Amino acid sequence: MEEEDTRDYSEPCVQCSVVNWGLTDEGRFYCKSCHNVIERTKEVLTSDVVPNTKIQSISRGFRKRKKIDKGWEWYVCEGFQYILKKQAEALQTLGVCPKMKDEILCNFWRLYLQKSRQAYCTTPASYASKALSISDVSTDVETEPERISIHGLSSFSESDGDLQTESSFGHVSSIGKASARETTSVCSGSVDGDSYLLKRKKGNLRMSMPMTLSFCYIALLWLREPVTLSDLLRFVIDGHIPYLNAFQCFPEEMKLYGADLKIFRVESWPVYEDVHNKMSELSAFLDLPCFPAITDSCFLHPNILCIKYLMEANLPDELHNWTCRVVKKINFGEADFLTLDPVNKSARKVKYDVLAVAIIIVVLKLLFILDDQYEWLYANFAGKRNQKNKEGCLWFDFKKWYKVIKKSVDVEQKKLDEERARCLWKCEKPLFYSSKEKSVVLKKRQMVVNLQRQFGTLSGSMQVAEKQSPSSFQLNWAEENTDGNCFHGHILEGILQEKGNSLTTMNTKYWLCSVKLCNEKICGQLTHYKESDFPQSYQFVLNLFSFLLRVPASLIHEEVCLIEHKLFKTKRHRK
C-alpha cells in the first residue's frame, strides 16, 4: 500500500539524493535512507463532497503512537531510579541477598529523594522555582501521557507497574504540571534536565552516574555482603552491572536528548576514590545510623580479606599468620575501626580491600625487606635448596614467584587493554541534543551502520568472545598442577627463626616508605608516590595489587605508609 502511494513521486531527497520514499503514520513523506521528513503528504481520492476531486489530508495515526513520539513527562530522578533498579537486579543475579533491592536500596533512595526535596515532601524543590509562573498558565492544556510514579513507590519491584499511573512527587496541581511541560520541549527530554545542571546549594548532594554505584555500595555494606568496592567497579567495567549507556534501559516513552545526555551519558569508567568519597558524603547526607558491625567473622574483616588476596597473588599460606599479627598489633581489626559510622565525621572511612593488600605488602617488607638485594639473595639460597631436596615442602623462591606472576599479569593486562580498546562508548540508539538535529543524527548513524556492514563483509565477520561469568578472583592457581607454578603450600623456612615460643624474622632491618606523613587536610593526601624513588621489587608488588584491585598504585602506597607509621608508632608531621 505504501509503495502505491509513493511510486508517483520521483523527486530525489535533498539530503542524500536518493529516491526511496515512505509514509509516516501522519501521512507525510520521509526518506528511507536518511530518515529526512518533507512537507509533502499523500494524496487521497474522496467523493464524499465533490465527485472526482483530489484533496490533501494528513492522517492523525494512532493516538498511542502519537504519545510515544511525544514522550512521557519525566524527571531526572526517575531516570536514576530506573538505573538503580537495573543495577540492583544485576547484583541479585550475581548472588547478592534479595533484600538488597527492595528493602535496603529502595529505602535509601526514598530517603535521598526526601532529603533533597525531590519527593515525599510538601513543596518539592523542582516546583519551588516555578511557583511564580504557575498562576499565569492556562489550564486548557491538551492531555499528555502520564509520567512515572515515585511518590507511591514502596519497592523497586513495584515501580514497573506504576509507569502509567497518576502520581506526583508532591502536591502539584494540573496548572503546575502545565507549567512544567512548557520547559521540556527544547532544552531536554526530561522536565528538569536543563535546571538539574545548575549550581546547587552547599550541602545539597546532586545525583550522578558514579553516585548510583555509591548507592549500591552502601547497600552492600549495610548487608555486609562479600563484595568489596574494587569488585563492584570491576563488575561494572566488565559489563555485568549496567553503567555504560545504562539509559538504554529506559522505556521508549522516556525521550532522552539535550541536557539529559550530559547527566546520563558516561564517557569514562568510575574511579575508586571518587565512588568511595561520594559514598561517605551520601551516608552523611542521609543521616544514616551506625552500620552493622564488621566483626572478625565478616568477609570485609582484614584477616579474611588477606586470605583472599594471598590466594590471588599466589603467595604462601604461612604469610596469613603474619598478616594477623600485624592487624592485631595496630588494632585495625577492631569493630569500632572497621564499622562505618556516618555520625562520627572524624572517624576514618576504611577502604577494606586497599587496607588488606597494604597489610600484605608490609608483611612482605618485614620478611623480605624488598630492597632489591635481600629478597634475591634469599631466592638464590631457596632455589638451590629446592633443587637438592625435591621431596617434602618447598621453600618459597621469590625469584621464581616473580617470573610466574609477571608472566600471568602481562597476559591478563594485555587482554584487559584489548577489551577496553574494543569498548563501544557510543550506544546503538542514536542520541541528539535537540529535535532539530534528529534527521542529521539518524542519517550519520545509518551511514555508520552501512560502513560497518561493508567492512565486515570485506574483512570477514569477527567472532565476539562470550562474556565470562563474573568471579571474585582474576588469577586462579591450582595446587594440584605439576608445573610448580602454585606457591600456596611453600614454606618460609630459612627466613624465620625461633625466638622463645614464637617465630621472628632473620633480618632486623626495615625501611619506611615515608619518613614523615603529611596532614591530609592541608596537603590533600598523606604522602606522595614517585616510582623512581623506590626499589623495583617494591614497585612490582605494589603494581601487582594495583592490577588486582584496579586502583592507582599511589592509593595502596599511601595505605602502606599509614600502616607503617601505626606499626612503628612514628609521629605525623605537618608539611
Side-chain angles (χ1 to χ4, degrees):
M1 187 67 180
E2 186 179 84
E3 295 179 357
E4 295 179 0
D5 293 331
T6 59
R7 66 184 177 185
D8 294 333
Y9 187 67
S10 59
E11 293 293 330
C13 176
V14 294
Q15 295 283 352
C16 62
S17 302
V18 175
V19 181
N20 187 14
W21 298 103
L23 287 175
T24 65
D25 293 329
E26 290 81 8
R28 299 179 66 180
F29 280 64
Y30 76 96
C31 179
K32 292 183 178 180
S33 299
C34 67
H35 302 279
N36 179 35
V37 181
I38 62 176
E39 294 297 328
R40 182 179 176 87
T41 58
K42 77 173 183 176
E43 296 178 349
V44 180
L45 290 174
T46 178
S47 57
D48 293 342
V49 181
V50 182
N52 300 326
T53 301
K54 289 183 178 181
I55 63 171
Q56 287 187 340
S57 64
I58 298 178
S59 172
R60 299 297 295 176
F62 297 101
R63 184 164 183 82
K64 184 178 180 180
R65 176 59 61 94
K66 181 185 177 183
K67 286 186 177 183
I68 294 177
D69 289 341
K70 202 165 186 179
W72 280 337
E73 176 188 319
W74 63 282
Y75 287 77
V76 170
C77 59
E78 293 174 320
F80 282 118
Q81 176 181 308
Y82 261 103
I83 295 173
L84 282 171
K85 178 175 178 292
K86 295 298 180 182
Q87 290 176 343
E89 290 173 350
L91 286 169
Q92 284 187 341
T93 304
L94 297 179
V96 170
C97 177
K99 295 181 180 179
M100 183 257 187
K101 184 179 75 169
D102 292 336
E103 297 186 22
I104 307 301
L105 185 58
C106 186
N107 287 330
F108 287 164
W109 176 242
R110 281 204 301 261
L111 186 58
Y112 169 79
L113 293 176
Q114 185 181 25
K115 292 281 186 179
S116 58
R117 294 182 59 208
Q118 298 182 64
Y120 304 105
C121 56
T122 306
T123 308
S126 58
Y127 295 110
S129 60
K130 303 181 180 68
L132 295 177
S133 60
I134 287 177
S135 59
D136 300 330
V137 182
S138 173
T139 58
D140 186 15
V141 183
E142 182 183 356
T143 303
E144 292 283 344
E146 307 301 345
R147 61 183 174 84
I148 304 164
S149 167
I150 289 185
H151 182 73
L153 178 66
S154 59
S155 68
F156 280 151
S157 299
E158 297 178 4
S159 61
D160 282 346
D162 297 330
L163 292 179
Q164 300 184 35
T165 59
E166 176 61 26
S167 179
S168 60
F169 291 126
H171 303 288
V172 184
S173 65
S174 59
I175 301 176
K177 292 168 66 176
S179 174
R181 269 187 216 111
E182 293 185 349
T183 65
T184 66
S185 58
V186 179
C187 297
S188 66
S190 62
V191 173
D192 57 341
D194 192 51
S195 60
Y196 198 83
L197 296 174
L198 298 178
K199 189 175 181 180
R200 296 293 183 94
K201 294 182 180 180
K202 186 177 181 181
N204 196 351
L205 200 60
R206 177 187 293 170
M207 193 66 187
S208 62
M209 286 302 297
M211 187 74 75
T212 60
L213 301 179
S214 299
F215 264 100
C216 293
Y217 184 57
I218 63 171
L220 294 170
L221 197 57
W222 186 273
L223 292 170
R224 295 178 291 185
E225 287 288 327
V227 180
T228 62
L229 180 55
S230 59
D231 290 334
L232 178 65
L233 300 187
R234 179 163 53 86
F235 294 153
V236 168
I237 295 175
D238 292 344
H240 301 294
I241 298 176
Y243 186 78
L244 178 63
N245 299 327
F247 52 81
Q248 293 184 114
C249 67
F250 289 177
E252 186 181 356
E253 293 82 359
M254 289 178 64
K255 300 299 181 181
L256 189 83
Y257 64 88
D260 301 329
L261 303 183
K262 298 179 181 179
I263 300 172
F264 293 102
R265 190 166 66 176
V266 174
E267 296 182 348
S268 61
W269 292 119
V271 180
Y272 184 100
E273 287 184 277
D274 183 31
V275 176
H276 188 271
N277 292 336
K278 288 182 183 300
M279 181 274 297
S280 302
E281 295 176 10
L282 180 61
S283 58
F285 178 75
L286 299 180
D287 289 332
L288 296 178
C290 183
F291 278 51
I294 304 296
T295 60
D296 54 3
S297 61
C298 295
F299 177 81
L300 297 176
H301 195 278
N303 287 345
I304 297 180
L305 274 181
C306 282
I307 298 177
K308 174 185 183 297
Y309 294 116
L310 285 172
M311 293 176 62
E312 195 165 9
N314 199 13
L315 287 167
D317 298 333
E318 288 187 9
L319 288 176
H320 184 244
N321 296 328
W322 286 86
T323 59
C324 292
R325 291 174 66 177
V326 171
V327 169
K328 185 178 180 180
K329 180 72 175 178
I330 60 180
N331 295 323
F332 274 13
E334 302 296 328
D336 293 340
F337 172 79
L338 296 172
T339 304
L340 177 62
D341 187 4
V343 179
N344 187 1
K345 296 182 179 180
S346 61
R348 186 167 175 263
K349 306 303 184 290
V350 181
K351 305 178 180 72
Y352 301 97
D353 39 11
V354 177
L355 174 64
V357 299
I359 291 172
I360 294 175
I361 294 175
V362 170
V363 169
L364 290 175
K365 287 182 65 180
L366 285 170
L367 299 178
F368 299 99
I369 301 182
L370 301 183
D371 61 349
D372 290 342
Q373 295 181 9
Y374 184 83
E375 65 272 16
W376 301 116
L377 291 174
Y378 171 75
N380 293 333
F381 178 70
K384 292 178 181 178
R385 187 268 173 196
N386 291 337
Q387 289 180 355
K388 295 179 180 179
N389 303 317
K390 295 184 179 181
E391 296 182 359
C393 296
L394 297 175
W395 288 16
F396 177 67
D397 187 344
F398 188 89
K399 183 186 293 184
K400 185 178 180 181
W401 172 82
Y402 169 85
K403 293 179 179 179
V404 171
I405 292 295
K406 189 176 187 307
K407 182 179 178 180
S408 299
V409 170
D410 289 344
V411 172
E412 295 299 324
Q413 184 66 56
K414 185 178 179 181
K415 291 180 181 178
L416 181 61
D417 294 340
E418 291 176 352
E419 290 176 1
R420 289 184 175 180
R422 287 195 297 265
C423 178
L424 296 177
W425 291 95
K426 292 186 177 180
C427 63
E428 297 179 359
K429 183 180 180 181
L431 300 173
F432 41 90
Y433 282 94
S434 67
S435 56
K436 295 179 180 179
E437 298 177 356
K438 183 175 181 179
S439 59
V440 179
V441 172
L442 291 175
K443 179 182 177 181
K444 290 182 178 180
R445 181 61 185 170
Q446 186 64 34
M447 291 175 60
V448 170
V449 172
N450 292 337
L451 288 173
Q452 288 177 341
R453 187 185 302 113
Q454 293 174 10
F455 280 112
T457 304
L458 293 173
S459 60
S461 58
M462 182 177 177
Q463 295 182 354
V464 181
E466 294 183 0
K467 186 185 297 185
Q468 296 182 353
S469 57
S471 173
S472 296
F473 292 90
Q474 299 179 72
L475 302 176
N476 295 309
W477 311 95
E479 295 187 19
E480 58 272 9
N481 59 5
T482 57
D483 54 5
N485 289 339
C486 181
F487 296 86
H488 292 159
H490 290 208
I491 60 177
L492 301 176
E493 195 71 29
I495 203 169
L496 301 176
Q497 62 180 354
E498 290 188 7
K499 189 175 182 180
N501 296 328
S502 61
L503 291 174
T504 60
T505 59
M506 295 283 290
N507 64 288
T508 57
K509 297 180 180 179
Y510 189 92
W511 58 274
L512 293 174
C513 292
S514 177
V515 178
K516 295 181 181 180
L517 290 181
C518 304
N519 190 305
E520 195 170 7
K521 294 182 179 179
I522 298 177
C523 301
Q525 52 189 0
L526 293 175
T527 185
H528 299 272
Y529 175 67
K530 186 178 180 181
E531 286 190 356
S532 58
D533 294 340
F534 297 93
Q536 293 184 0
S537 298
Y538 176 74
Q539 293 179 37
F540 174 77
V541 175
L542 207 62
N543 291 331
L544 166 62
F545 289 108
S546 172
F547 169 77
L548 294 178
L549 300 186
R550 298 189 186 182
V551 299
S554 58
L555 185 63
I556 303 177
H557 172 75
E558 181 177 317
E559 196 73 26
V560 170
C561 294
L562 187 65
I563 294 173
E564 289 179 343
H565 283 256
K566 184 76 173 177
L567 184 62
F568 296 103
K569 293 182 171 58
T570 57
K571 294 183 179 180
R572 189 177 304 183
H573 300 268
R574 289 176 177 265
K575 188 173 180 180

